[in-house]
Amino acid sequence: MTQRDGDGIEPDADTTRLVRLPATLHIGHPPTTEEDTDPDATGTVVTPVQDVSAPTTDAPDTADAPADEELPAEAPADGEPTAEASADGEPTADASADGTVPMTRPAAIGVAMAVTPSTEAEPAASQEEAAPEQAAPQQVAPQPAPAKPRTLGGRVGALVASAPKWVPVLLVLEGLAMYILALKVPPGPLRGVDPNDIDGLGLISALPTSAFIAILIMIASFFITVVQSSDRKFLLLLQIAAITFALHGAGALVATEPRFPTAYIHAGFVEFISRTGESAISIDARMGWPGFFALFAFVTQAAGISDLTTILQWTPLVSNLLYLLPFVLILRQVVATTRARWFAALLFVLVQWIGQDYFSPQGFTFALYLAFVAILLRWFGRVEPRTKPVPRKGLRRLLGKLDAMTPGELANTGTFRADKLLMLLMLLALFVASVASHQITPFMMLGVVTAFLIFKRTSLSWALPFFLGLAVLAWISYMTVGFWSGQIDAIFGGLGRILQNLRSNTGDRIEGSDPAHALVLKARLGILVVILSLAASGLIRRLRRGVFDRSALILLCVPVLALGLQSYGGEIGLRIYMFALPGACLLAAYAFFPNLPADSADVREETVPLRNRKLRVNPELTRKISVALAACFAVLFAFAFLLTRYGNEKFERVTTGEVAALHYIYEHDKPSAKVLYLVPKKGPEVTPILPWGERDVELVNFGGQALVHKDPARIADAVQALKEQPRNSYLIVSRGQVSYLQLNEGFPDDWGTKFRAALDASPDLKRVFSNEDAALYTWKKFVRGTEIPDPQPYKGRGDPTSPWTPVGIGALGVTWVALFAYEIICLNGRKRARKTRKRLLFLAVPAFLVAIAVIVERFIYIAQNN
């Protein structure tokens, strides 16, 4: 007769039970994660299995085990991964810090050990009957956990064993401190930056060797962390943030004044709105989209900030750190390995060289664009497997095969309706803020939403793109009349001219005269070619594994459609590159790490078959090669970034002397003033290479141009241009303008010094301000009684209108209300409240057509009458 033990389990008398091991004793290999899973040639997942020398017996229940005791895991069976992973390929919360997973059953160890008797004693007769030849089992006391090593050798061994945890942290901190010291200390051997050393290659020509070593250390720290089994999110974010600081903060560390001259005019718009409480599109067309400027005017006024110098100085770095947050959320919604995601985030930092992240509406709305896409994927993502059979032939067969592939995105499941409603309101808020702040960003948002609907990657309805598109047209028609009323051709003249717009953004930008600077311009196109090539390779590698990344492809391709709009002053190519980066970086990361997470049933082998399909490279070797190649490309992109981003540093950096010259003008601009800047040829799209417009944008006119020649003695055209201007007009000669003429127009190296000497010798000019970096000249003699003219009055509201405008405004309101209500109902499901949705459509469609008709009528009527 047998009796149940204390745990309710009936033991077998012929079976030897095992003793639980202490928590600190681990036997066999620890469980692996997605990156350690070796796929074999057949596509199945193979994990290292522990060699068991004795058969496994029934393990005792662990209900009475100590709470802090961790048991070794069982050997995996049938190729299943030993570490649990979530849907996005990351270990679940049950995994411990070192990557091991506590299990409830101990592994067999093949060692005969005595058992612990049960809590209830069995009768002696039963014991003798069950095992007459065996002695009574002897109770084994639990073994205490080994104490921490007290000897020096033991401590050193423990420190070395824990190196994977603290070495990456030490390296990134060391590299960051080394980089800051390399740029901030006084110039000397292998340290410090002397601005006078900057040549046609830009800032990279003046950086010390220690700065490059520091960047290498930080990149090495990142890849050391990436190849580890555990996903250390905080450390990886810290490492990418440190690399971002080193690359995008270099200008702020070196420069004494905020770099990039155009940032100063944006500060002037903020100052004007803060001082007057209104925007004036008659002063500058950018005032027609005042959302960004009004926001900072409110913030600075509320905080009591009167000097924006510090904000302008660090905006590029803060902007790029801000871009990382929504981009990481986008990466969380793709089906990819941990290495692919974090490498894509690093690429996003390394190839963001175009410099649109300064204090500008474009830099601000790009962050809104990334947040917009992240919300679309996270809360309104849609992934539906194909149920229709694939056609047998033709183009439909190819499209059907693509549609039947494994989606590269995660589906949104388990979101409450209230959360979706809140996120829908957030989407609308982000879009409206972009509409009021920038001309191009809303079209990028609208294109992404429309493409997601076409390719069935969002659960939203078609009411949303019509709602958003009408908002863009309404803003242009009703709020920017002062801009387009007299320049219809400037707005619509570039529509459809794809080749011409492409030429103005590529070929025209590499025609530099200085050989070193021409290398910078060609390197920018080289980065574009390399990143697009890697993106194409990553897309192909994912397709070979049966994965179709629609969302990444949409984010890459939609911005290219902007080439059909207009040249945007020759800068539409830069905007396209900027908006295409999220999709390009994600696909480029797949070129190195194309596999799916280990918990997916669609894991493909890492290697690609050679000529003989039976001949394959060791998967572990290919993983090491992939990491090594990714690290090499990361280093290449980092150094190329310093060349391309700061290649214009010789004329884009702003000196204290140039700022002082402009401040002299602001102090003498009552009631008005005018500034003439140097140009090699006169034209409407020439931007002053000056820190212009920081204050008094309605009083100082920066529209004057003075023609100069390569011969510094030919000053007649510049003198005549100044003579034709009214009193209180200034001709400015600055370091930035001279550097621009030298690098882009082939002016001699000593042109600036000789040109200023010629102006000083002119009997008609008078120098009123001078320092090492800038000089101001005015007309020496004026006719007696000549007064300084009053500034041109700026216009606020009161724009021209048309007779049908009130009808259009009413139709806009009805359309937006109906479409918004329709979208809210669709949040419950496409099959809910069909009659109500039909009634809303019957109301929205006629109102939409009326609103569009009035917008067209306003363009025609106002343009003809102005």
Side-chain angles (χ1 to χ4, degrees):
M1 178 178 180
T2 60
Q3 183 178 354
R4 296 182 181 271
D5 61 1
D7 293 330
I9 300 177
E10 186 172 349
D12 189 354
D14 298 330
T15 303
T16 303
R17 296 175 60 186
L18 302 180
V19 170
R20 300 179 184 86
L21 300 177
T24 56
L25 179 59
H26 294 276
I27 299 177
H29 300 282
T32 59
T33 58
E34 60 189 34
E35 302 297 343
D36 297 327
T37 306
D38 292 342
D40 61 0
T42 61
T44 58
V45 182
V46 179
T47 55
V49 181
Q50 176 186 343
D51 184 16
V52 181
S53 59
T56 304
T57 58
D58 292 338
D61 196 344
T62 58
D64 56 347
D68 57 348
E69 183 175 3
E70 181 180 325
L71 302 178
E74 284 184 322
D78 300 331
E80 295 180 357
T82 58
E84 295 183 1
S86 60
D88 56 357
E90 298 179 357
T92 59
D94 294 336
S96 60
D98 59 355
T100 61
V101 182
M103 307 291 289
T104 57
R105 297 182 60 191
I109 61 175
V111 180
M113 301 184 68
V115 302
T116 303
S118 60
T119 54
E120 295 182 6
E122 296 183 356
S126 300
Q127 294 179 3
E128 294 175 359
E129 193 175 346
E133 70 279 5
Q134 295 182 1
Q138 182 179 0
Q139 183 176 357
V140 178
Q143 301 178 2
K148 296 182 180 179
R150 297 182 180 180
T151 63
L152 179 60
R155 293 178 180 179
V156 172
L159 185 63
V160 172
S162 62
K165 293 184 177 180
W166 56 265
V167 165
V169 180
L170 179 63
L171 286 178
V172 69
L173 295 179
E174 178 187 359
L176 187 60
M178 181 179 177
Y179 186 82
I180 295 176
L181 292 176
L183 268 62
K184 295 298 291 184
V185 297
L190 304 180
R191 59 179 174 84
V193 176
D194 186 358
N196 295 323
D197 294 337
I198 298 176
D199 56 18
L201 292 177
L203 182 62
I204 194 173
S205 59
L207 288 178
T209 306
S210 54
F212 298 106
I213 298 176
I215 294 176
L216 287 175
I217 292 175
M218 286 185 279
I219 294 178
S221 170
F222 172 82
F223 280 96
I224 291 175
T225 306
V226 164
V227 298
Q228 293 179 3
S229 300
S230 58
D231 183 13
R232 305 174 67 179
K233 298 180 180 62
F234 179 79
L235 178 57
L236 288 167
L237 279 175
L238 174 64
Q239 291 165 334
I240 294 180
I243 297 173
T244 304
F245 178 86
L247 298 180
H248 295 271
L253 291 174
V254 173
T256 56
E257 300 289 341
R259 62 188 304 275
F260 208 69
T262 310
Y264 289 82
I265 184 63
H266 295 160
F269 295 156
V270 172
E271 186 270 341
F272 175 81
I273 295 176
S274 179
R275 175 164 45 86
T276 64
E278 57 181 326
S279 64
I281 198 172
S282 60
I283 298 177
D284 193 283
R286 286 165 286 190
M287 286 275 206
W289 289 264
F292 170 78
F293 310 122
L295 173 64
F296 272 88
F298 170 77
V299 172
T300 55
Q301 195 171 27
I305 300 174
S306 58
D307 186 6
L308 296 179
T309 301
T310 304
I311 296 178
L312 267 61
Q313 183 91 341
W314 294 101
T315 294
L317 174 61
V318 175
S319 296
N320 282 278
L321 292 175
L322 187 62
Y323 298 158
L324 276 176
L325 300 179
F327 185 63
V328 169
L329 183 58
I330 292 174
L331 296 178
R332 299 277 295 177
Q333 293 305 119
V334 298
V335 181
T337 60
T338 300
R339 294 180 181 180
R341 290 174 175 174
W342 287 110
F343 185 62
L346 179 65
L347 283 179
F348 184 71
V349 172
L350 297 180
V351 298
Q352 179 70 273
W353 58 262
I354 61 173
Q356 296 299 318
D357 47 17
Y358 64 100
F359 187 78
S360 65
Q362 176 66 93
F364 171 72
T365 55
F366 185 60
L368 302 185
Y369 168 81
L370 293 175
F372 185 88
V373 174
I375 292 176
L376 277 179
L377 290 174
R378 173 63 182 85
W379 281 273
F380 301 101
R382 176 187 176 191
V383 177
E384 294 182 0
R386 181 183 176 90
T387 57
K388 299 180 181 179
V390 178
R392 296 183 177 180
K393 59 182 179 178
L395 180 62
R396 296 179 60 187
R397 172 177 173 81
L398 176 61
L399 297 178
K401 291 179 65 176
L402 291 175
D403 193 27
M405 287 185 175
T406 302
E409 309 86 14
L410 294 175
N412 175 37
T413 57
T415 303
F416 293 102
R417 180 176 177 272
D419 296 337
K420 286 189 174 183
L421 178 59
L422 179 62
M423 289 299 107
L424 177 61
L425 294 175
M426 182 63 69
L427 275 181
L428 298 180
L430 292 173
F431 188 83
V432 171
S434 299
V435 167
S437 299
H438 198 247
Q439 300 89 347
I440 295 180
T441 306
F443 289 99
M444 299 295 182
M445 292 179 172
L446 182 60
V448 169
V449 171
T450 305
F452 275 17
L453 284 167
I454 293 175
F455 293 97
K456 301 178 181 179
R457 279 301 173 263
T458 179
S459 59
L460 297 169
S461 72
W462 280 96
L464 185 63
F466 285 98
F467 183 101
L468 302 181
L470 191 59
V472 177
L473 295 177
W475 183 272
I476 296 175
S477 177
Y478 292 93
M479 304 302 294
T480 64
V481 180
F483 167 65
W484 58 261
S485 58
Q487 2 184 13
I488 293 293
D489 183 67
I491 300 176
F492 301 104
L495 290 178
R497 301 179 182 176
I498 298 178
L499 295 179
Q500 181 179 347
N501 296 337
L502 183 62
R503 167 66 183 174
S504 64
N505 285 271
T506 54
D508 293 346
R509 289 186 171 271
I510 60 176
E511 297 176 355
S513 299
D514 184 79
H517 192 62
L519 178 63
V520 173
L521 302 179
K522 293 177 182 179
R524 293 173 176 174
L525 293 179
I527 290 181
L528 172 64
V529 172
V530 172
I531 196 69
L532 290 181
S533 301
L534 290 177
S537 176
L539 179 63
I540 294 173
R541 295 198 72 184
R542 294 277 281 185
L543 291 175
R544 289 176 64 91
R545 285 157 175 77
V547 185
F548 187 28
D549 298 280
R550 298 188 195 181
S551 297
L553 198 58
I554 288 172
L555 295 179
L556 173 63
C557 295
V558 165
V560 181
L561 300 177
L563 274 176
L565 296 177
Q566 59 170 316
S567 66
Y568 199 70
E571 293 187 352
I572 191 65
L574 296 178
R575 299 327 196 257
I576 291 174
Y577 178 82
M578 184 176 188
F579 284 101
L581 273 183
C585 292
L586 181 56
L587 292 176
Y590 293 152
F592 303 94
F593 311 108
N595 279 4
L596 294 177
D599 64 330
S600 173
D602 297 301
V603 176
R604 299 296 187 265
E605 62 272 13
E606 178 72 26
T607 58
V608 178
L610 301 178
R611 295 179 181 179
N612 185 357
R613 298 186 64 88
K614 295 182 179 180
L615 178 61
R616 295 177 183 271
V617 183
N618 185 359
E620 185 176 354
L621 176 61
T622 59
R623 282 199 302 273
K624 294 179 180 179
I625 294 176
S626 297
V627 173
L629 288 176
C632 292
F633 271 92
V635 173
L636 175 65
F637 281 132
F639 292 159
F641 174 92
L642 295 174
L643 176 65
T644 55
R645 171 63 183 272
Y646 302 105
N648 297 337
E649 194 68 11
K650 192 170 183 179
F651 59 85
E652 282 187 350
R653 72 184 184 97
V654 177
T655 62
T656 305
E658 291 174 313
V659 174
L662 270 300
H663 283 185
Y664 176 88
I665 296 175
Y666 302 143
E667 295 169 359
H668 298 81
D669 61 359
K670 306 300 185 293
S672 70
K674 190 170 185 178
V675 177
L676 280 71
Y677 58 94
L678 310 180
V679 294
K681 56 183 178 181
K682 293 186 178 181
E685 294 184 353
V686 179
T687 303
I689 310 298
L690 294 168
W692 59 300
E694 184 182 2
R695 298 204 315 251
D696 300 343
V697 292
E698 79 280 17
L699 301 181
V700 184
N701 185 351
F702 287 90
Q705 297 179 350
L707 184 64
V708 294
H709 308 276
K710 292 184 179 180
D711 183 2
R714 294 179 57 184
I715 64 172
D717 291 332
V719 173
Q720 182 63 28
L722 183 60
K723 183 178 179 180
E724 295 173 355
Q725 304 303 324
R727 291 190 63 175
N728 211 25
S729 296
Y730 301 90
L731 174 64
I732 182 170
V733 182
S734 63
R735 180 190 293 267
Q737 294 182 92
V738 173
S739 299
Y740 179 85
L741 294 173
Q742 291 171 347
L743 293 180
N744 294 279
E745 301 297 334
F747 280 47
D749 294 339
D750 58 349
W751 184 89
T753 303
K754 292 182 178 180
F755 184 72
R756 287 180 60 169
L759 293 178
D760 292 336
S762 174
D764 300 323
L765 301 181
K766 178 176 63 174
R767 187 178 63 189
V768 296
F769 181 87
S770 177
N771 58 36
E772 183 182 359
D773 299 321
L776 295 175
Y777 298 88
T778 186
W779 193 248
K780 183 176 290 186
K781 297 180 181 179
F782 285 91
V783 178
R784 186 181 298 275
T786 303
E787 301 294 337
I788 301 175
D790 292 330
Q792 294 183 356
Y794 60 87
K795 298 177 182 179
R797 292 295 94 191
D799 296 325
T801 184
S802 72
W804 288 92
T805 296
V807 177
I809 294 176
L812 284 173
V814 173
T815 305
W816 283 333
V817 171
L819 291 179
F820 181 68
Y822 184 93
E823 191 64 53
I824 290 179
I825 294 175
C826 288
L827 294 179
N828 292 329
R830 298 296 181 89
K831 299 181 180 180
R832 301 288 296 273
R834 293 184 176 181
K835 293 184 178 180
T836 303
R837 288 191 286 120
K838 286 184 178 180
R839 294 191 186 101
L840 291 173
L841 288 179
F842 289 149
L843 179 64
V845 172
F848 178 83
L849 296 177
V850 171
I852 293 294
V854 172
I855 289 175
V856 174
E857 183 266 343
R858 282 175 54 84
F859 274 110
I860 298 175
Y861 181 88
I862 296 176
Q864 289 179 347
N865 290 274
N866 289 271

